[in-house]
Amino acid sequence: PFPGLDFGPFSMAMSAILITWVLFDMQIMDFVPVNASIIFDAVADGMILLDARQKILAMNPTARRMLGESVEQAIGQSLDRIIPGAVRFSLTGTPPPERLEFRWGERFFELRRLQLTFRFRQPNGQLLVLTDVTPRKQSEMEREALIRQLQSSLAQSRALYRSSKAVI
């Protein structure tokens, strides 16, 4: 109806008003970004972040406390220099185990592996979760010792029964 009038700026202004109304009405602007390092450091289990070559990129304080490694010594080193036997968590070849139990001094640990994949679904890192399972392992060892002791007592009772039966 008006020659030479461009409706582009009016439609852009209306779109901006509508988008602003939707953003504030749905409270999308209230989201607060979470710093991943805060979560990484606050987890009760030990966490070790590895690259594709199994070099340590990061360790949370719990993992450092469990393994007794300082950050300066652990970062950049191969995983199997820090945890012997962990080379079985390799990214290449046959599917690696999802869990690995090992002994570190007087303590027992369980290492769980989470595969990290990014573009094109290619594995390019791992997150290892380290859990102290010493109380469980100690109770398992105590249970096995009791089972052996009971089996030995049972064998002695059977021998005694047989000998007393023979005497009677």
Side-chain angles (χ1 to χ4, degrees), residues 50-55 57 91-92 123-126:
L50 303 174
D51 66 3
R53 298 171 301 166
Q54 289 203 324
K55 302 285 184 193
L57 297 176
L91 290 170
T92 58
N124 62 350
Q126 298 177 28

Side-chain angles (χ1 to χ4, degrees), residues 141-160 162:
M141 290 187 306
E142 288 172 5
R143 185 190 73 204
E144 289 171 6
L146 283 173
I147 289 172
R148 284 192 300 274
Q149 185 179 8
L150 285 172
Q151 287 172 342
S152 172
S153 297
L154 181 63
Q156 289 174 355
S157 297
R158 284 182 181 159
L160 184 61
R162 276 186 240 125

Side-chain angles (χ1 to χ4, degrees), residues 3 16 24 26 30 37 39 46 49 72-73 82 85 105 114-116 120 132 161:
F24 285 107
M26 298 187 115
D30 291 344
S37 65
I39 295 171
L49 183 62
E72 296 81 26
Q73 293 173 341
I82 303 296
L114 301 169
Q115 190 74 45
L116 301 177
F120 309 116
D132 188 357
Y161 173 75

Side-chain angles (χ1 to χ4, degrees), residues 101 135-145:
E101 286 190 2
R136 180 184 59 133
K137 287 300 264 188
Q138 287 174 342
S139 64
E140 285 175 5
M141 290 187 306
E142 288 172 5
R143 185 190 73 204
E144 289 171 6

